[in-house]
Amino acid sequence: MAHTDAPSGNPLDDLDPSEVRIEAVDAFHLGGTRYAASFELTDIHCEFSSSFLLDIDFGETLTFTVRLQIKDAINSHATLAPDRHIVLELGGLIHDLTPSGDSITALPEGVLRRVWHLEGGPQFVFGDRGVAYIREPGGGWELIAPHDLAVLRDIHGSSVQDVHACGHGGLLLRLEGRAWVPVEIPDQRNLYALEVSADGAMHFGGAEGTAYALIGEELIALDAAPWDYFGICSFKGRRYWTDSSYGISVQEGDALRPFRELGQAFYMHASDEKLVISGWKEVFIFDGENWEGFEMGYDGNIFLRRLDMADYGG
């Protein structure tokens, strides 16, 4: 079990540990036994927060260092390289963490919720009121022309030529230059996740079992359970979908099949070797055959402990 002191001077310090909620935000595999994971601590009314980005060694022993701690909420983070991260803090503050030093940039438009980056390409920050920003490598943040007052929930693409976004009310958008172009679909349920494959195929899903494939001009409704899908990610030749009710499903043809009952499962990120999944306060790790994971705990200080995967559909 790994353990460290929590930051001082925060109202959470005065609460009984049982009154402190823990939420896993994002997690990435850095190579070998190393991972980066972000967590948020809040009171039961979500009035106060403390958040952490941890550099974790999940080897024979479980150890970690605190790369960043803030007295507010981390909404999202992206790891660009083992020593370079982007962290989105509540209020539109972007933390750039690099070996040469850390910096903070304030993005004033909208209510920003998530970060996504194209490997080796631009980075995106997006959220409510149709607002999204893009930053090309080596450049500064530019505002993409907002699309109405849309709530954007996910952005994905396999190249700069096929970046798409999805959101509430069946919203599906394609990025052309610095503007969004709508892609019409016959469904107005909220969309939370999408994946664009290198061959141009697009998969997207969301509320109440919404799950589609768009291949060329053909829109295919996938057979799916009536769960809210929050993540889609391909790993080692298979496509996985996460949800807030069961856990993780695998796509087989035009159907989503329950794969493992993790409970709540949300955002996914994959390296060549590991699929890393954020749960409630857990981080699940899958190598294509075997499962393992860790979770954050709080007893007045933060700590990490290994999961017994028998408790999660094992």
Side-chain angles (χ1 to χ4, degrees), residues 29 235-236 270-275 287:
H29 180 224
F235 174 67
K236 294 189 175 181
S271 68
D272 290 340
E273 298 85 21
K274 306 286 186 179
L275 179 65
D287 67 5

Side-chain angles (χ1 to χ4, degrees), residues 28-233:
F28 292 80
H29 180 224
L30 305 183
T33 59
R34 287 187 57 210
Y35 297 84
S38 48
F39 294 89
E40 179 192 5
L41 305 182
T42 64
D43 63 289
I44 59 175
H45 302 295
C46 297
E47 294 178 328
F48 311 107
S49 299
S50 287
S51 298
F52 303 84
L53 176 64
L54 306 181
D55 189 324
I56 298 160
D57 191 332
F58 191 43
E60 292 187 6
T61 59
L62 174 58
T63 61
F64 71 90
T65 58
V66 178
R67 179 63 181 85
L68 175 70
Q69 61 184 48
I70 58 177
K71 296 177 182 178
D72 210 334
I74 288 178
N75 282 350
S76 177
H77 105 263
T79 290
L80 310 183
D83 57 0
R84 187 181 175 202
H85 313 275
I86 303 172
V87 176
L88 171 61
E89 180 182 346
L90 180 68
L93 299 178
I94 297 290
H95 297 255
D96 284 294
L97 312 181
T98 72
S100 60
D102 301 343
S103 62
I104 301 175
T105 303
L107 300 181
E109 299 294 330
V111 177
L112 301 174
R113 306 289 188 184
R114 298 289 301 162
V115 176
W116 178 75
H117 80 285
L118 181 64
E119 186 172 355
Q123 301 134 33
F124 294 83
V125 183
F126 54 95
D128 298 354
R129 302 185 68 81
V131 172
Y133 287 87
I134 183 173
R135 180 171 64 179
E136 301 286 354
W141 291 104
E142 300 177 56
L143 183 66
I144 299 171
H147 180 78
D148 296 330
L149 297 178
V151 177
L152 303 180
R153 295 298 299 263
D154 201 7
I155 290 180
H156 195 261
S158 63
S159 70
V160 293
Q161 286 76 37
D162 65 9
V163 172
H164 288 73
C166 70
H168 287 188
L171 183 72
L172 189 62
L173 304 171
R174 181 179 68 253
L175 184 63
E176 293 188 0
R178 291 293 183 267
W180 297 111
V181 176
V183 178
E184 298 297 334
I185 61 169
D187 196 321
Q188 293 186 327
R189 288 174 292 181
N190 292 342
L191 301 178
Y192 303 140
L194 82 154
E195 182 193 56
V196 182
S197 303
D199 62 3
M202 185 160 41
H203 293 79
F204 52 92
E208 302 171 343
T210 307
Y212 286 98
L214 181 60
I215 301 175
E217 299 296 322
E218 183 182 9
L219 181 66
I220 303 167
L222 305 180
D223 180 23
W227 301 324
D228 292 345
Y229 293 102
F230 283 92
I232 306 170
C233 188

